[in-house]
Structures are given as C-alpha cells and as structure tokens.
Amino acid sequence: MYDVIIIGAGTAGLTAAIYSARAGKRVIVIEGSTIGGQIATSPRVENYPGIMQISGMEFSDRLFEQATALGVELEIDTVVGITDNGGIKTVTTEYGSFEGKAVIIATGVKHRKLGANGEDKYSGRGVSYCAICDGAFYKDKTVAVIGGGSSALISADLLSDGCEKVYLIHRRSEFRGEEKILSGLRAKANVEIVCDTVVDEIFGDEKVTGVTLRNVSTEKIKNVSLDGVFVSVGQTPENAAFSSLVELDEYGYIVAGEDTKTSSEGIFAAGDCRTKAIRQLTTAAADGAVAALAVCDYLR
Ligand code: NAP
C-alpha cells in the first residue's frame, strides 16, 4: 500500500514525488510514456528561476534523479482508471493495479493536432510534433513550423540553427509567444514569418514534399515546397480515464483550484492537467509542491 500514487512523471508529478518522499511518504510514480513529460522535448528552458539555460531533457533528468534518490518508485505503464473503495484508491493500469491512500493526477497535456488534410497520412513521414526529437533529420532542408505560441517560436529558433530555411506559419498576425524569441527570429536570414495564413493541406509522395497555404484575409492559395512540417499548435488534456471519479470541465481539464483538490476526496490534480490560467514549468512545479503538502494534510 502506497501513501500516495502519482500519475505522470512530468514536472508537476516529479515535484510532488520529491515533496512527498521528503515528508516520509511511500511514493510510486506511474508514467505512460516520457519521463519528464512535455518539458523533456523542449530544446531550451530559459525561464526557470535560478537556471539561466538548460535543455528540457537535462532538466527532466535532474528531477528524476532527485526523486529516485529519495526512494520514489517508478512504474512505466498506462493508467486506465481509478476506483475508490472506502478511502483506499485502486489505480488500474494496462498491466496491473496499485493501491494507495491518496492519488495525485499530474498527466499534463498532449500535442494538439492541426487538423489539416494529409496530417495523419504523413505523420512520421515529414510531419512531426517535436523539433528537438526530429529536427536533426532536417539539417540543410526546408521546413515549416505551424503555430504562434512559445513552443512554435522555440521550435523555429532551434530548427533555424540547422535547416536551410524555416517558414513560421501563423494563422493571425499577433503572436502568443515571447517577443524576445520572435524578434530573434525576425533577424534571422533563413527564417520567413508568414502571418494570417493556414495550412489547408500537407502533400507529398512517400514523404512530405509541400504544403498548400491559404491567406485568411485574401483567400489567396499557394503551394510551398518543403521537406518537413513541425506542428506546434498547443496542447490538449487526456483525462478521460479519470472522468468517472473526478469532475472534468468542457475541455477535459480536471476541475481543481490552487489547492489542487478535485471533486473526489483524496484525489488531487497538479500541473497542466487541471483547470488553471497559466501553464508554465514554474506553475507545474508549484502545483506539485502544493499537491504533495495537501496529501500530507489529508493523510493526517
Ligand atoms: P499555445 O500558447 O496555446 O499556442 C498555440 C498556438 O497555435 C497559438 O498561436 C494558436 O493560434 C495556434 N493554433 C492553435 N490551433 C491551431 C490550428 N488548428 N491551426 C493553426 N494554428 C493553431 O501553445 P504552446 O506554444 O504549445 O504553449 C503552451 C503553454 O506552454 C503556454 O502557456 C506557453 O507559454 C508554455 N510554454 C512554456 C515554455 C517554457 O516554459 N520554456 C516553452 C513552451 C511553451 P492563436 O494564437 O491564433 O490562438
């Protein structure tokens, strides 16, 4: 029997694990895919207080080392549901089940799809959702990054270091991402920023060879030859497995306030998977700490 079962080994989950273990609790973290979560695929993190610059991968590795050094257990498996039997929670995975006195859900969010024709057909054959994972395959090639948030800007910046040409294609003319990165991109000779434009189709043969772009103001259509398309249009939560026990909002986020308490007693939600205004590395870490301390309080 674990004191706390943490679902998700991203920043929120691992911070919760560190705080829980330091409070003397028996902790297991269950992760379905990537240790470190979303930030593990971020090329550069430059806005975490006290760290000037670090790769997302190294940041994740450090969090993981810190947690395991404190005795936190890790299980790589996908959670399919939680049941509550008079206070004892059973977390069921694809390959087994775990019992705990409390649960922290820290499942983060997943990449959102663009919805363009050809996106699924060419996924893994020129369409990618991760510049840090796949960028090296496009050295000296021409690629497009789709999106106007921080992730898209950071991806375009990273790709511009190795690619011959990078198009940054955004459906509006105002960007959500950081102005500092945007102005850096504007100064790069191999980056072309294309605003007010959407991707109608991704086409190719065996692999991607181009995209059909449509200017949303003029409705003018043009084809651009490309070797790769990096979709970076935000994220979406995946909390369906918990919907029988905890309340979700209309977008699928777990309804929980700053205290991380969900509609179900003894189940807490930390990080990007819960309803909140700001989804950042710092707020994920903060949520992990709050959830762990809320668990300690609950167990008392
Ligand atoms: P985001 O801020 O939600 O931006 C998504 C972008 O994609 C927006 O520009 C949006 O356009 C566009 N978009 C959405 N759906 C689209 C569609 N179907 N077709 C075309 N464009 C579409 O997502 P994000 O950049 O992934 O960032 C998510 C959060 O993580 C943000 O809070 C961000 O600040 C944070 N983040 C932090 C770090 C870090 O801490 N180092 C790094 C990366 C991201 P509109 O603007 O028109 O809506």
Side-chain angles (χ1 to χ4, degrees), residues 71-146:
V72 170
E73 295 173 43
L74 175 77
E75 182 75 17
I76 299 292
D77 203 348
T78 301
V79 172
V80 293
I82 310 174
T83 51
D84 188 330
N85 314 302
I88 300 302
K89 277 82 178 151
T90 303
V91 174
T92 309
T93 62
E94 279 180 358
Y95 297 103
S97 64
F98 301 84
E99 287 199 330
K101 297 174 190 163
V103 173
I104 298 173
I105 304 173
T107 45
V109 284
K110 302 286 180 286
H111 297 296
R112 186 184 291 142
K113 285 193 172 180
L114 183 60
N117 288 331
E119 181 179 10
D120 287 342
K121 182 176 174 189
Y122 290 106
S123 182
R125 293 192 289 144
V127 173
S128 168
Y129 297 84
C130 177
I132 193 168
C133 319
D134 300 329
F137 299 124
Y138 296 89
K139 191 167 170 11
D140 300 326
K141 308 243 183 214
T142 297
V143 300
V145 175
I146 322 297

Side-chain angles (χ1 to χ4, degrees), residues 8-26:
T11 303
L14 289 176
T15 304
I18 290 165
Y19 269 74
S20 302
R22 286 176 60 86
K25 305 298 175 212
R26 187 173 177 220

Side-chain angles (χ1 to χ4, degrees), residues 281-296:
L281 203 50
T282 44
T283 59
D287 265 18
V290 171
L293 297 176
V295 163
C296 293

Side-chain angles (χ1 to χ4, degrees), residues 55-285:
S55 76
M57 185 63 80
E58 192 186 343
F59 182 84
S60 306
D61 286 349
R62 287 196 199 176
L63 266 182
F64 182 62
E65 274 171 32
Q66 197 175 353
T68 48
L70 288 162
V72 170
E73 295 173 43
L74 175 77
E75 182 75 17
I76 299 292
D77 203 348
T78 301
V79 172
V80 293
I82 310 174
T83 51
D84 188 330
N85 314 302
I88 300 302
K89 277 82 178 151
T90 303
V91 174
T92 309
T93 62
E94 279 180 358
Y95 297 103
S97 64
F98 301 84
E99 287 199 330
K101 297 174 190 163
V103 173
I104 298 173
I105 304 173
T107 45
V109 284
K110 302 286 180 286
H111 297 296
R112 186 184 291 142
K113 285 193 172 180
L114 183 60
N117 288 331
E119 181 179 10
D120 287 342
K121 182 176 174 189
Y122 290 106
S123 182
R125 293 192 289 144
V127 173
S128 168
Y129 297 84
C130 177
I132 193 168
C133 319
D134 300 329
F137 299 124
Y138 296 89
K139 191 167 170 11
D140 300 326
K141 308 243 183 214
T142 297
V143 300
V145 175
I146 322 297
S150 289
S151 302
L153 301 189
I154 292 170
S155 296
D157 189 35
L158 175 84
L159 290 164
S160 68
D161 291 341
C163 293
E164 188 185 340
K165 170 136 190 171
V166 178
Y167 291 95
L168 174 62
I169 297 163
H170 180 36
R171 64 184 178 183
R172 296 187 299 135
S173 51
E174 288 86 33
F175 286 79
R176 288 178 195 272
E178 268 183 64
E179 182 53 42
K180 189 171 181 291
I181 310 171
L182 184 61
S183 50
L185 289 174
R186 289 193 201 282
K188 289 194 168 184
N190 66 337
V191 175
E192 183 173 336
I193 300 177
V194 185
C195 291
D196 299 318
T197 296
V198 293
V199 178
D200 273 351
E201 184 170 4
I202 300 168
F203 56 83
D205 38 45
E206 283 301 295
K207 291 181 175 174
V208 166
T209 57
V211 288
T212 303
L213 301 182
R214 178 167 48 87
N215 184 297
V216 291
S217 316
T218 63
E219 288 298 317
K220 216 174 139 191
I221 287 181
K222 75 168 178 181
N223 285 350
V224 174
S225 296
L226 294 171
D227 303 294
V229 179
F230 287 83
V231 177
S232 195
V233 296
Q235 296 100 12
T236 178
E238 287 190 352
N239 294 320
F242 318 119
S243 62
S244 61
L245 212 53
V246 297
E247 188 190 345
L248 307 184
D249 76 358
E250 58 183 312
Y251 304 104
Y253 290 98
I254 298 167
V255 176
E258 292 300 312
D259 60 7
T260 72
K261 288 181 183 168
T262 70
S263 56
S264 192
E265 218 187 334
I267 301 184
F268 302 81
D272 289 3
C273 67
R274 78 167 176 92
T275 48
K276 63 194 319 203
I278 308 292
R279 294 189 170 85
Q280 290 286 310
L281 203 50
T282 44
T283 59

